[in-house]
Amino acid sequence: MFMENKKFNSKRSVSLLMTVVIIFGMFFAVPVLAADSNPSLADIYKDSFLLGNIISPNQLDAETTNMFNQHYNVVTAENHMKPNMISNAKGVYNFSSADAIINWAQNNGIKVHGHTLVWHSQSPNWLYRNQDNTPLTRSEARQNMQEYINRVAGYFAGKVISWDVVNEAFEGGSLPVTDWKTVTRSNSPWYIAYANGADTSKGESGADYIYDAFVFARQADPNAILEYNDFNETDAWKREAMAMMVEDLNEKWLNDPRNTDPGRKLIERIGMQSHHYTQYPPVSWVEASIQRFIEAGVTISVSELDVGYGRHNGPTNRTLTYEQQVEQAIYYARLFEMYKAYDAHIERVTLWGQNDARSWRADYSPLLFDREFAEKEAYYAVLDPSGYLMKNGLTPRSLYDLTISTDTDTIVAGLPANIIVNANAADIGDYKVVAYLDKDGKKYSDEFQLVNGTTRLTIPNAPEAGQYRIVVNAYTGSTLFASKAIPLTITEDSSEKDYTITTTYQPSVLTADKMFTAQVNVTRHKGEDVPVLVIVALFDRDERMINVSYISKDIEVGDTERLNAGFMLPVDIEGHKVRIFVWDGIDLENSDMRPLSDVVTVQ
Ligand code: G3I
């Protein structure tokens, strides 16, 4: 390193050193985050929600068990905890099938969700009808319900984490929903019995069985989370009716003398069955329901998820072509990237079937595994929703959520710029996010990494006036995941220039084992008699600064000075760069120096 310096004091020497450190810092390489590639679905979502599937007693074989152990941490009995499977006559209870499932789950460390206590379907007549099929009275049905729930929820207490207390209580409706009770399923045998003897003058109705069911369940198993479970929960009227019912009954519970824990809601969760098709409903409707249920003050479980190919009553597809699989997988990917965005409110996602053969909608091939248990495209989509969408040329949700703002709209050509960039995405934490200044696809600054959604773009010397953009790129590993830009104007510097600078150097292409010399001519037009600093620095292919030479000179107004700096280039020069910086030394002592010219980079 050589140096030419007339007036060089120690204070300035410290500042110069700091400058070198600052410039060095600007070129530090950014660490790349490693991607997780664990193929277990439950593992992938372990920080978000439980992931489950259904089972029947005749499926408790090694193959199914292995599959559960790999992919699921919660199970729902597809049919064997429904009332008709447990009690076919008053006072008669048979828990053997349910016990088999629960023992199997416990042996394999799998949690159990209870499905279901009160339903209009798959339930024995004795609960709500006489032997001649006439409805019981309101009080008789109520007594049977209490007896059944006491017995069943009491029996399973400590063995289930949650219950679908009431299943599918709504029927048909339309907006606006003024009273949720008017759109309940009035042909439900529970409704009919509860209407039989209801005192309408006191506001009693057939729909009152719903509240009773939740209260009896709370009393029978105070530790279980109580859920209301329904399908077509994305229909606007039904979304509203479900939310209104939950709000209303939870309000009622607040003033119920049987409520011993006023801080706890009676209905704590809504089960969104989620029996979707690739053509219906749009995922945005699912999101709208999630938002409405959150507003109603409850958490959510996606309780019976499957996505049939096509549409309800449409052509059947018992096997899917690759293209059909991809179409279905994209729907699953959209669902799961959205679930992840709401994972603070979603406690469980349960798929309704282990493979396309074991499905109540086998005709529509709705699940993640095919009839031979082989992974379908949908499986890969659930494993990595955003990655799957990008692989198929689609924009992941995080891009839509990526919003950028800066603390400045314009900067001035030739002057240093400090731009604070804020970029927020729903799940930015998983990605490496960088920002830089761009014009017509060309970079005009280094890339600055965002930490907690913020970065400072330090541009030593803003380029010429024009319309630029601040680009924000999000990466997973080294793959570009999302990119967004906002405009930024660079304006002319209207003030008269303090200096004119011309830079020449040789050689123009770096040559191994040769001297590199930069010559900087600086003419001061106005300002103070202070030094100008020229730094010439050599960077290796990893952007580490490996050699530096600097020179400082006072330049009086009207004078032109020539500053030379340089060094020997190494033998191995491939990929190296020399950068020449010219700085005005006015604020030398604060290390806050004003760059005078573009940084010149020599390859
Ligand atoms: O067990 C009998 C068997 O003995 C008989 O030979 C056979 C003849 O069809 O029927 C068997 O019962 C069937 C049962 O599944 C067990 O396979 C019933 O007919 C059949 O109706 C029943 O279907 C179940 C359906 O609920 C009943 O509503 C499906 O498996 C089950 O996936 C489905 O699950 C429901 C949820 O509980 C609530 N939400 C909707 C969801 C899908 O419909």
Side-chain angles (χ1 to χ4, degrees):
M1 180 188 306
F2 72 87
M3 188 188 307
E4 207 181 280
N5 186 8
K6 279 184 195 160
K7 292 182 198 171
F8 202 75
N9 64 29
S10 63
K11 226 172 177 181
R12 281 176 183 164
S13 168
V14 170
S15 299
L16 287 174
L17 200 64
M18 286 178 75
T19 306
V20 172
V21 170
I22 290 165
I23 293 168
F24 186 77
M26 284 164 51
F27 290 93
F28 255 126
V30 173
V32 176
L33 299 173
D36 184 357
S37 59
N38 195 327
S40 157
L41 296 175
D43 272 3
I44 292 287
Y45 290 97
K46 70 178 185 322
D47 296 330
S48 293
F49 33 71
L50 294 172
L51 201 81
N53 211 308
I54 53 175
I55 209 155
S56 294
N58 62 355
Q59 296 166 344
L60 304 176
D61 51 81
E63 188 183 23
T64 314
T65 305
N66 286 342
M67 187 189 214
F68 264 87
N69 284 333
Q70 189 185 357
H71 289 305
Y72 308 112
N73 46 26
V74 60
V75 69
T76 305
E78 181 174 12
N79 287 297
H80 290 80
M81 287 172 78
K82 292 173 178 173
N84 66 341
M85 294 283 183
I86 286 184
S87 174
N88 55 19
K90 192 172 169 69
V92 178
Y93 291 86
N94 180 354
F95 296 113
S96 56
S97 295
D99 279 346
I101 289 174
I102 286 182
N103 290 339
W104 167 87
Q106 285 177 342
N107 289 338
N108 288 287
I110 296 166
K111 296 179 164 57
V112 180
H113 167 74
H115 173 78
T116 175
L117 292 170
V118 172
W119 193 17
H120 65 274
S121 172
Q122 285 186 285
S123 298
N125 264 335
W126 71 265
L127 285 168
Y128 34 62
R129 284 193 193 108
N130 291 304
Q131 296 223 323
D132 63 2
N133 260 348
T134 55
L136 296 183
T137 64
R138 180 180 175 89
S139 68
E140 287 165 341
R142 186 171 191 272
Q143 226 172 352
N144 284 349
M145 179 191 280
Q146 185 166 25
E147 179 186 315
Y148 179 83
I149 291 178
N150 261 343
R151 190 69 201 274
V152 175
Y155 180 84
F156 291 115
K159 297 175 179 169
V160 298
I161 55 168
S162 45
W163 268 110
D164 290 330
V165 177
V166 177
N167 200 33
E168 304 173 357
F170 288 100
E171 198 179 23
S174 58
L175 285 175
V177 178
T178 45
D179 177 356
W180 63 266
K181 289 184 183 172
T182 60
V183 283
T184 49
R185 191 183 293 275
S186 54
N187 62 359
S188 157
W190 281 114
Y191 187 104
I192 292 168
Y194 261 69
N196 185 16
D199 185 344
T200 48
S201 71
K202 286 190 189 149
E204 290 177 355
S205 90
D208 296 337
Y209 77 91
I210 301 170
Y211 184 71
D212 279 352
F214 279 96
V215 175
F216 297 151
R218 172 58 48 78
Q219 291 173 328
D221 183 359
N223 292 320
I225 299 288
L226 305 185
E227 306 195 14
Y228 174 75
N229 192 46
D230 214 331
F231 62 91
N232 287 354
E233 69 284 354
T234 54
D235 286 358
W237 74 267
K238 201 158 177 180
R239 163 196 306 150
E240 195 50 33
M242 288 166 70
M244 284 170 76
M245 178 195 78
V246 165
E247 287 163 345
D248 187 30
L249 298 187
N250 280 339
E251 178 79 22
K252 184 172 175 176
W253 180 238
L254 276 180
N255 302 312
D256 191 316
R258 294 167 294 183
N259 181 356
T260 53
D261 183 358
R264 187 174 173 198
K265 289 185 161 58
L266 180 64
I267 306 176
E268 299 168 287
R269 189 170 298 164
I270 286 181
M272 299 173 65
Q273 288 192 7
S274 310
H275 293 298
H276 303 317
Y277 286 92
T278 52
Q279 290 176 24
Y280 187 93
V283 173
S284 61
W285 293 14
V286 183
E287 183 168 359
S289 291
I290 289 176
Q291 288 171 344
R292 180 64 184 94
F293 299 152
I294 291 170
E295 197 184 301
V298 293
T299 57
I300 287 157
S301 61
V302 175
S303 55
E304 304 182 9
L305 176 62
D306 51 14
V307 181
Y309 182 81
R311 60 189 156 81
H312 180 59
N313 285 339
T316 59
N317 286 86
R318 289 181 70 84
T319 54
L320 300 183
T321 63
Y322 176 74
E323 286 70 26
Q324 289 170 329
Q325 275 206 40
V326 170
E327 196 183 326
Q328 179 184 52
I330 287 168
Y331 192 101
Y332 267 109
R334 290 285 181 214
L335 271 182
F336 272 80
E337 63 170 2
M338 193 260 295
Y339 292 159
K340 227 179 139 198
Y342 288 92
D343 65 0
H345 306 276
I346 298 177
E347 302 297 328
R348 173 172 62 91
V349 175
T350 293
L351 286 138
W352 205 250
Q354 302 149 16
N355 70 24
D356 283 344
R358 298 181 180 181
S359 164
W360 73 296
R361 298 202 297 181
D363 282 349
Y364 296 90
S365 306
L367 295 160
L368 308 185
F369 297 88
D370 72 12
R371 283 154 199 279
E372 275 72 51
F373 269 126
E375 292 86 352
K376 289 168 61 187
E377 286 299 300
Y379 165 81
Y380 296 106
V382 172
L383 210 55
D384 176 13
S386 302
Y388 191 86
L389 290 168
M390 284 193 302
K391 198 183 100 185
N392 285 280
L394 296 167
T395 308
R397 177 186 177 91
S398 300
L399 174 56
Y400 297 118
D401 286 355
L402 187 65
T403 56
I404 321 169
S405 63
T406 63
D407 66 343
T408 181
D409 295 333
T410 58
I411 53 177
V412 179
L415 294 185
N418 265 313
I419 308 162
I420 308 293
V421 179
N422 291 297
N424 294 309
D427 42 12
I428 207 163
D430 291 356
Y431 309 108
K432 185 185 91 174
V433 184
V434 298
Y436 59 88
L437 182 67
D438 165 283
K439 190 180 180 204
D440 303 329
K442 189 178 162 215
K443 273 186 195 154
Y444 280 83
S445 79
D446 294 300
E447 288 189 346
F448 293 86
Q449 182 159 6
L450 278 83
V451 178
N452 296 328
T454 298
T455 194
R456 179 192 296 268
L457 244 71
T458 310
I459 300 168
N461 200 3
E464 65 181 29
Q467 195 54 52
Y468 292 75
R469 309 182 312 156
I470 298 288
V471 174
V472 172
N473 283 345
Y475 295 89
T476 45
S478 55
T479 309
L480 181 62
F481 173 83
S483 182
K484 234 177 190 178
I486 55 166
L488 184 97
T489 308
I490 297 188
T491 57
E492 285 291 0
D493 184 359
S494 54
S495 63
E496 191 198 330
K497 292 253 188 319
D498 287 10
Y499 298 87
T500 304
I501 299 164
T502 56
T503 309
T504 55
Y505 49 85
Q506 56 175 329
S508 58
V509 175
L510 302 186
T511 312
D513 211 16
K514 280 263 162 21
M515 189 72 194
F516 177 87
T517 323
Q519 188 185 89
V520 181
N521 293 308
V522 184
T523 308
R524 175 190 289 286
H525 300 301
K526 58 176 188 170
E528 293 172 54
D529 171 20
V530 289
V532 161
L533 169 69
V534 171
I535 297 175
V536 182
L538 178 66
F539 295 84
D540 70 9
R541 56 183 81 84
D542 295 324
E543 289 291 355
R544 284 178 305 215
M545 188 162 64
I546 57 170
N547 208 343
V548 66
S549 169
Y550 52 90
I551 177 167
S552 168
K553 220 172 193 182
D554 281 359
I555 306 175
E556 290 174 9
V557 175
D559 275 4
T560 298
E561 293 283 355
R562 196 177 72 189
L563 293 91
N564 291 315
F567 35 60
M568 282 297 287
L569 295 169
V571 178
D572 170 18
I573 201 70
E574 196 194 328
H576 286 50
K577 281 180 196 133
V578 169
R579 292 194 178 89
I580 306 162
F581 306 88
V582 187
W583 302 74
D584 174 357
I586 287 171
D587 289 323
L588 211 56
E589 280 140 32
N590 301 321
S591 297
D592 184 17
M593 297 187 296
R594 190 183 123 154
L596 293 179
S597 73
D598 276 344
V599 173
V600 181
T601 303
V602 188
Q603 297 290 345

